[in-house]
Amino acid sequence: MTEAFAGIANHENKNARCKFDLRNVIETLNGYGKDYFIILAHVDQKNGFFECSDSVMSDIKETADFANRVIGLQKLRNRESLERFYRCFSYHCACVEGSDPKAMDQIGKGDRTYIKIGDLSYDAVKFALIDFSNRVVCKDKPKTTHGYVKSISFEGGRLDGTTIELSPELNTFIGIRGSGKSSALEVLRYALDLKPSCDVDYKNNLVDITLGSGGQVIVKVVDKYEKEYEIRRIVKEKTSIVDANDKDLGISIDTILHNILYFGQKDLSQGASFEAELLDKLLGDNIKSSVEDTSKFYEKMSESLKSLLAIKNIPDEISDLETTKSNLNHKIRIFEEKGIAEKLSKQTAFDLDRQKINEIGCEIEKTIKDIKDCLKKITINVNMFDEYNSEYNAKEIEEARGILSSIIQIIENMKRETDTVDGNHAEYKSILKSIDVKIESLKGEFAEIKRQINDPQEDIEAYPELKIKLQETEGQLKKLSDSLTKKNFFENSFRTALRNRNELLQKQFKLYETAVKKINDSQSELSVQLGFKGDKEKFKEYLKLDFRGSSIKDTKYQSLVDNFSDYAALIEDVLIDGGVKCKEKLTETEYIKLREKIEVQYQDLLIKETPNSVEMFYHNKPLKQHSLGQRTSALVLFILTQKENDVLIIDQPEDDLDNKVIYDEVIKSICLRKKDIQFIFATHNANIPVLGDAEKILVAELSDDVLKIDQGNIDAPETHKQIVSIMEGGQEAFDKRKKIYSSWR
C-alpha cells in the first residue's frame, strides 16, 4: 500500500487512484515473493474493471499470472459482464459481494458472500475462492435439508471418552490397515440398529471389542427439521432414542433419519443376486409402503385351498356312506319283513326324536359359542371420541359420534340377546330331558313288546340303533352333498385372490420401473432393466429345495419354471385344474409326488414370490460381464444416484475399484450429491478425501489396544501432513511423485 500510493496524501479517505495500472500491480506484487490473490472490486460500476475496452482486456490477458492471481469479481451485477470476462480470459472465477465499512460495527451490513472453509487461514480462503462452484454462495446461507449424524460419543472400550464430530456432508475415516477405521463405522452401524449382510459374527465381535463390556455409544442426530435427538445403545441392549429434554420417545430410527444405507467391507462385491437385493434395499421400503399389502390375498388363497382340500375326498366319502346306507336299509328291511319294525315303531320313534333333538341341540350350542367368541373380539367402544374436538368439522364429528353410539348400542343389545339365547338353549335342553322322562316311563312297555316278539334269530335291541344310525348317515350325506356344491365357490375365490395379488404385484413393479427410469435418466454410465417375476433361477432354486426327494430332474424343473410364473400359478394348476399343464411335463409318479408335497406345504409355498429380475448395464455392457472392480463401481454409482437417503455409510468402497473409476465417476458423483446426503466412509485411498473435498477427515490410529481418532478436515495443515504420511507413503514419496508428474506434464 505504501508503494502503490507513494506521494498521495490521505489516500485512504478520498478513494484515490494508486499510481500502478493492473499490470504494474501484478508485477510489483510478484516481486515481493509472497503468495497473494486479487479480487476485482466494483467491477460493473464507474471506473470498474468492465469499463476497460476489449483491446485493453486483451493486453491485460498477456500479463503474467493474471489467471492465477485474479480469482474473484466483486459486486458483479451484469451477466453479460461475466460472459465477456470468460470470452476474454477463458476461465470463470468467483462472484462475491463486499462492502467498504468505515467502522467495525458496519461489517456485514450489506450483501453477503458465504465461503465454506475448514480452517481460519489464508490458504483455506484462497482455495475456497478457487473452488467457488462448491465453496462460495452469495446472499442466502446454505441450509442442510436432510437428516444427518452430528456426533458419535463412546463410553468404555477402546474409544472411551472420545466424541467424534461429523459434517452433514462428506466424512472420511482414514488410517493404515488395521488402524481401527472399521471399528468406528461398525459401532455406528450397531447404534443405528443396521444389520450386516455378511461376516455377521466378525462385525458384531468388532463392536464388542471396540465398546468393551458394558460400553455405550451415544449418537447425536439431527432430522431434516433441524431437531436434535440422541440415539443410545449399550452393548447387548436395545437402542433407545431420547429428545433434547432427555425424554425417551419410544420411536424407531427411520422416523428421524430416512433410509440409512450401510455397506461393510466386500458387501458391494457379493454375488449376482446382490443387484436385486440392492434395488430392494434402496427403493423397496418407499414402494411397498405406497401400495396395499399382499398378505390378505395370500390368506384368502390359503383358506380357499384348505376348504378345497377338505372336500377333496368328499366323493369317496359319499360313496362309502351310500354303501353304509344301503347296508343299513337292508338290515332294517329284514326287521320290517318279520313285522318286528312295526312292533318296535313306538320305541324307534322315541329314539329318533331324541336323536334329532340332541343333534340340533349340539349345533345350537356350537353356534352360541361362536357368537360369544366373536363378540369378545370386538374392540370398538363408546369412549373412542372422548376428549376429541375438531376445529373445522365439529358438525361431522358430532354426527360420527352419534352413529358410533348407535353401533355400540346394537352391539350391547347383541350381547344381552346372548343371555336370552342361553335361556332358550336351556329350555331346549329341557325338552330332551322331557323326552328322556317319557322314554323312562315306557321302558316296561317296550320290554314287554320285545318279550312278545321272542325271535331268537334276531337281535331285537339292534333295530332302534340301526334306525338311529341310518338317520345319522343320511344327515352326513346331506352335509357332504352341500359342501360339494361349494367347490366352484372355493375355486373362484382362489382365482380372484390370485388375480388381485398379481395386479398388486404388477402395481409394485410399475413403481419400481418409474424409479429405475429416473436412475437411468440421471446419468449415462449405468442403466437398469427390470423383468416382472423374471428371476427364474430363484424360482427354480425354490422348487429344487422344496421338492427334494421327488426324483424330478433339473430339465423337468426348468420346464416347470418356463411354464409357470410362480408357486401360486403352479398350485392353481395342481390343486384346482387337475394338473393339466404339469402332467404334460412330468411322469405320473413325479406328478403324484409333486402333488403330495404341494398339499402338505401349500401355505408356505404360496408366499414365496418369484422375484423381479434386475439386470444392470455398465457402459452398455451387462454387469456380470465386467470385472469385479467394474461391477463394484457400477453398484457404487447406483447407490449415489439415489436422492431418498439421508445417510450413506460405506466401509472402504475403493477396495475393488481402480483410481480412474474412483475419480471419473465415483468422486464426481459424491461431490454432486454430498449437499443432499451425508457420506461416512472409511478409506485408505487419498482420492476420496482429497478430490472429494472432505468436510471432515478422521484419522484413526490403534496403539496398545487404545484407538485414537484425530479430527480435522481438508483445509487443516495438520490433516494435510497426515494424509501425505498415511495415504501417499510420506512426504518424500509425495514430493518425488510430484516431480515425476510435473515432468510428464
Side-chain angles (χ1 to χ4, degrees):
M1 297 293 288
T2 303
E3 187 172 355
F5 290 93
I8 303 174
N10 201 25
H11 62 82
E12 66 274 14
N13 292 322
K14 59 180 183 179
N15 295 324
R17 292 176 181 270
C18 75
K19 64 179 186 177
F20 297 143
D21 61 16
L22 187 55
R23 181 193 296 273
N24 298 139
V25 167
I26 292 174
E27 290 173 349
T28 304
L29 287 172
N30 285 347
Y32 295 146
K34 302 289 187 181
D35 192 20
Y36 68 94
F37 61 82
I38 294 173
I39 295 178
L40 301 176
H42 308 283
V43 291
D44 279 334
Q45 296 178 11
K46 184 179 179 181
N47 297 326
F49 180 74
F50 288 111
E51 281 201 349
C52 296
S53 65
D54 285 353
S55 61
V56 172
M57 285 193 180
S58 296
D59 183 55
I60 294 172
K61 182 180 180 181
E62 302 304 319
T63 303
D65 269 0
F66 179 89
N68 292 330
R69 299 303 187 180
V70 177
I71 62 173
L73 305 174
Q74 184 220 24
K75 291 193 175 181
L76 184 138
R77 299 291 183 265
N78 189 338
R79 184 167 183 82
E80 289 183 2
S81 298
L82 188 62
E83 293 171 354
R84 184 181 171 207
F85 184 88
Y86 181 75
R87 190 169 61 249
C88 290
F89 299 102
S90 302
Y91 75 97
H92 290 296
C93 61
C95 295
V96 299
E97 296 301 326
S99 60
D100 294 321
K102 306 304 180 185
M104 293 295 289
D105 60 3
Q106 293 179 17
I107 293 174
K109 297 294 185 181
D111 293 332
R112 301 184 181 189
T113 294
Y114 295 90
I115 60 172
K116 184 199 292 186
I117 55 174
D119 189 57
L120 297 176
S121 67
Y122 164 86
D123 289 329
V125 172
K126 180 181 178 182
F127 181 76
L129 292 170
I130 292 171
D131 189 24
F132 63 90
S133 60
N134 296 311
R135 297 261 202 141
V136 177
V137 176
C138 292
K139 295 185 179 179
D140 297 324
K141 184 179 179 180
K143 289 186 177 181
T144 301
T145 57
H146 61 88
Y148 63 93
V149 177
K150 184 178 181 181
S151 67
I152 315 167
S153 298
F154 303 84
E155 295 179 358
R158 290 176 168 177
L159 283 163
D160 185 30
T162 300
T163 294
I164 299 172
E165 304 289 343
L166 298 177
S167 163
E169 299 189 37
L170 175 58
N171 304 268
T172 58
F173 286 82
I174 69 172
I176 62 173
R177 294 185 186 276
S179 60
K181 302 185 297 297
S182 296
S183 299
L185 256 62
E186 286 302 322
V187 171
L188 175 60
R189 186 268 306 163
Y190 181 74
L192 298 176
D193 205 20
L194 303 170
K195 309 301 180 189
S197 57
C198 66
D199 297 331
V200 177
D201 292 339
Y202 166 74
K203 290 174 180 176
N204 287 336
N205 187 53
L206 191 58
V207 172
D208 294 342
I209 293 171
T210 304
L211 287 178
S213 179
Q216 180 177 219
V217 56
I218 301 172
V219 179
K220 286 188 178 180
V221 298
V222 179
D223 68 12
K224 65 179 181 179
Y225 306 108
E226 300 183 348
K227 292 187 67 175
E228 192 169 305
Y229 306 83
E230 278 190 4
I231 300 171
R232 301 174 183 171
R233 190 168 191 183
I234 298 172
V235 175
K236 308 297 184 186
E237 302 293 340
K238 290 183 178 180
T239 295
S240 60
I241 301 175
V242 300
D243 62 13
N245 298 316
D246 206 37
K247 178 184 177 182
D248 200 313
L249 301 176
I251 59 176
S252 59
I253 293 171
D254 58 11
T255 60
I256 304 171
L257 298 178
H258 180 66
N259 201 5
I260 308 167
L261 293 177
Y262 156 82
F263 300 95
Q265 290 185 41
K266 301 298 181 183
D267 280 357
L268 292 169
S269 56
Q270 289 186 34
S273 64
F274 186 61
E275 288 87 339
E277 295 169 9
L278 176 60
L279 180 67
D280 199 55
K281 190 173 185 179
L282 292 172
L283 308 175
D285 289 343
N286 286 337
I287 288 175
K288 290 173 184 175
S289 65
S290 65
V291 295
E292 193 178 356
D293 187 9
T294 58
S295 60
K296 66 178 183 180
F297 299 121
Y298 288 114
E299 290 173 7
K300 288 180 180 178
M301 285 190 284
S302 182
E303 289 169 4
S304 299
L305 291 175
K306 183 179 180 181
S307 300
L308 282 171
L309 289 173
I311 65 176
K312 178 189 71 168
N313 298 321
I314 282 181
D316 293 336
E317 292 177 23
I318 288 176
S319 178
D320 292 341
L321 286 172
E322 290 287 0
T323 301
T324 301
K325 180 181 176 181
S326 297
N327 293 337
L328 290 169
N329 280 324
H330 174 73
K331 292 177 181 179
I332 289 169
R333 273 195 300 273
I334 293 173
F335 283 98
E336 290 174 345
E337 290 169 358
K338 291 187 175 185
I340 297 174
E342 184 179 355
K343 294 175 182 178
L344 294 177
S345 61
K346 185 175 182 180
Q347 179 184 348
T348 303
F350 268 90
D351 289 342
L352 290 175
D353 290 346
R354 187 188 187 286
Q355 168 62 22
K356 193 64 177 177
I357 291 171
N358 184 60
E359 178 186 325
I360 294 173
C362 291
E363 288 294 325
I364 292 171
E365 187 172 2
K366 180 179 178 300
T367 302
I368 292 172
K369 182 179 182 302
D370 289 343
I371 291 171
K372 287 182 175 180
D373 289 343
C374 181
L375 290 173
K376 285 179 182 178
K377 295 177 183 178
I378 295 174
T379 58
I380 191 171
N381 64 77
V382 75
N383 301 320
M384 297 178 86
F385 271 114
D386 283 3
E387 299 181 3
Y388 183 84
N389 297 300
S390 172
E391 185 176 355
Y392 302 106
N393 301 295
K395 180 182 176 183
E396 287 78 3
I397 292 294
E398 191 59 34
E399 185 179 348
R401 185 182 280 112
I403 295 171
L404 174 64
S405 297
S406 298
I407 293 171
I408 298 297
Q409 186 60 52
I410 292 169
I411 293 171
E412 290 301 318
N413 291 339
M414 291 170 64
K415 290 179 179 178
R416 282 193 290 271
E417 287 297 327
T418 59
D419 296 334
T420 303
V421 171
D422 283 337
N424 292 336
H425 184 224
E427 289 180 21
Y428 188 93
K429 288 192 291 187
S430 70
I431 294 172
L432 192 64
K433 292 178 181 178
S434 177
I435 296 288
D436 287 340
V437 169
K438 286 185 177 182
I439 292 173
E440 184 66 26
S441 68
L442 294 170
K443 275 187 175 181
E445 179 183 333
F446 295 156
E448 180 59 29
I449 292 171
K450 291 174 183 176
R451 284 194 296 272
Q452 291 175 3
I453 293 173
N454 193 24
D455 187 344
Q457 292 181 333
E458 298 295 340
D459 182 4
I460 306 301
E461 300 289 345
Y463 177 72
E465 293 177 4
L466 289 173
K467 292 291 285 185
I468 291 172
K469 183 66 175 174
L470 179 62
Q471 182 172 280
E472 289 177 348
T473 301
E474 288 174 339
Q476 289 174 334
L477 278 169
K478 187 177 185 309
K479 281 185 178 180
L480 289 176
S481 297
D482 290 342
S483 297
L484 197 59
T485 61
K486 296 178 181 179
K487 181 173 181 290
N488 288 338
F489 170 79
F490 294 133
E491 289 177 349
N492 290 333
S493 176
F494 178 90
R495 295 186 203 277
T496 300
L498 176 58
R499 173 175 54 79
N500 290 333
R501 186 216 63 160
N502 283 338
E503 289 175 354
L504 196 58
L505 292 177
Q506 187 187 38
K507 183 178 179 182
Q508 287 182 356
F509 178 75
K510 292 296 183 185
L511 292 173
Y512 273 107
E513 274 193 325
T514 301
V516 164
K517 185 178 185 302
K518 291 180 181 178
I519 294 170
N520 293 343
D521 292 345
S522 67
Q523 38 72 51
S524 59
E525 295 88 357
L526 180 74
S527 64
V528 183
Q529 290 184 4
L530 302 179
F532 183 57
K533 297 185 183 181
D535 192 349
K536 296 296 187 179
E537 286 301 315
K538 193 67 176 178
F539 184 26
K540 187 176 176 181
E541 181 184 316
Y542 289 156
L543 291 173
K544 286 185 171 183
L545 182 65
D546 295 324
F547 297 153
R548 282 179 301 183
S550 58
S551 303
I552 299 175
K553 295 182 179 179
D554 185 81
T555 54
K556 298 286 186 74
Y557 280 124
Q558 187 60 50
S559 182
L560 292 176
V561 165
D562 292 339
N563 284 273
F564 297 101
S565 61
D566 57 14
Y567 264 126
L570 176 63
I571 290 170
E572 180 184 27
D573 179 67
V574 172
L575 297 186
I576 294 180
D577 296 333
V580 175
K581 290 183 180 179
C582 276
K583 288 176 179 177
E584 294 176 356
K585 314 299 176 187
L586 305 175
T587 65
E588 184 178 354
T589 303
E590 289 171 340
Y591 175 74
I592 291 172
K593 289 183 177 180
L594 178 74
R595 181 183 176 100
E596 288 174 350
K597 286 184 176 291
I598 287 178
E599 287 180 356
V600 173
Q601 303 180 69
Y602 71 89
Q603 289 181 313
D604 295 328
L605 301 181
L606 274 175
I607 60 176
K608 289 186 177 181
E609 298 172 358
T610 300
N612 298 324
S613 62
V614 179
E615 187 170 11
M616 292 187 181
F617 291 82
Y618 186 47
H619 295 300
N620 300 317
K621 182 179 175 183
L623 192 61
K624 58 188 175 184
Q625 295 180 16
H626 284 280
S627 67
L628 177 62
Q630 290 170 322
R631 291 205 305 270
T632 309
S633 303
L635 294 174
V636 171
L637 281 174
F638 183 44
I639 295 165
L640 295 176
T641 58
Q642 302 312 300
K643 298 182 179 179
E644 302 299 326
N645 310 98
D646 282 344
V647 182
L648 172 59
I649 305 167
I650 307 183
D651 191 356
Q652 296 174 200
E654 77 283 355
D655 273 1
D656 297 303
L657 306 180
D658 57 66
N659 285 335
K660 187 176 188 306
V661 170
I662 289 176
Y663 177 68
D664 286 349
E665 297 174 2
V666 175
I667 297 295
K668 289 180 179 178
S669 295
I670 290 172
C671 290
L672 287 172
R673 301 290 298 121
K674 66 180 181 178
K675 66 180 184 297
D676 304 312
I677 298 176
Q678 182 183 38
F679 294 103
I680 305 174
F681 293 161
T683 179
H684 47 72
N685 187 299
N687 286 318
I688 293 179
V690 176
L691 300 181
D693 198 23
E695 283 72 20
K696 194 77 177 183
I697 297 175
L698 304 136
V699 184
E701 182 181 358
L702 182 62
S703 178
D704 297 328
D705 208 36
V706 175
L707 181 54
K708 179 185 176 186
I709 305 286
D710 285 337
Q711 304 184 50
N713 60 74
I714 199 64
D715 289 339
E718 185 58 35
T719 305
H720 298 167
K721 295 176 184 176
Q722 291 169 317
I723 290 174
V724 170
S725 174
I726 294 169
M727 307 180 117
E728 301 290 358
Q731 188 66 46
E732 183 179 347
F734 179 76
D735 290 340
K736 189 170 183 179
R737 276 199 300 276
K738 181 179 178 181
K739 288 180 181 179
I740 294 171
Y741 292 152
S742 297
S743 68
W744 290 355
R745 184 180 61 193

